[in-house]
Amino acid sequence: GEAGKFMLSEGRGALTATALRGNAVLFAGGLSGTNGNLTPPPHIDVVFEYLNENGETVVDIGPDKQFGIPMHTPRWAHRAILTDDGKVLFVGGLTGSASNPQVVMNSEVFYP
């Protein structure tokens, strides 16, 4: 096989990656930043792999930041659980900056 190449909308660590139906992967949460100020991105990235009209494999990421999918509570070091009906449940984790983390008490669901 061959690995596709793609770039998330911003670099992040301590995120979750969840395989979705239809050759898509959901990337959520994590820590991102510069100059040592690490905070969780407020949005979700979805990577799609598909064949174009020429039969070539295309790897695309979306939506762009202008039309991003927000997380209700940006978080990192959390868990993502794919449910039987294709939804993704985000549970726990930390929010705030890496230098001042707070425990996340709520959960949220992503509906693809």
Side-chain angles (χ1 to χ4, degrees):
E2 184 176 315
K5 295 180 182 178
F6 64 89
M7 292 182 64
L8 296 175
S9 60
E10 57 190 292
R12 35 175 112 181
L15 71 158
T16 57
T18 307
L20 303 175
R21 297 177 184 144
N23 265 3
V25 179
L26 175 109
F27 294 92
L31 286 171
S32 182
T34 57
N35 300 326
N37 185 22
L38 299 174
T39 58
H43 59 277
I44 293 168
D45 287 330
V46 181
V47 174
F48 306 90
E49 181 182 77
Y50 59 93
L51 295 177
N52 67 14
E53 62 277 355
N54 298 324
E56 301 163 328
T57 299
V58 176
V59 177
D60 199 3
I61 191 160
D64 67 27
K65 283 185 179 182
Q66 181 179 359
F67 302 103
I69 302 167
M71 291 188 81
H72 293 287
T73 304
R75 58 186 74 210
W76 50 283
H78 61 287
R79 298 294 176 258
I81 302 160
L82 181 64
T83 63
D84 289 340
D85 59 358
K87 298 171 187 162
V88 180
L89 174 66
F90 302 118
V91 180
L94 301 168
T95 193
S97 68
S99 61
N100 186 25
Q102 295 98 41
V103 175
V104 175
M105 300 298 288
N106 66 352
S107 298
E108 60 186 279
V109 177
F110 170 76
Y111 298 89

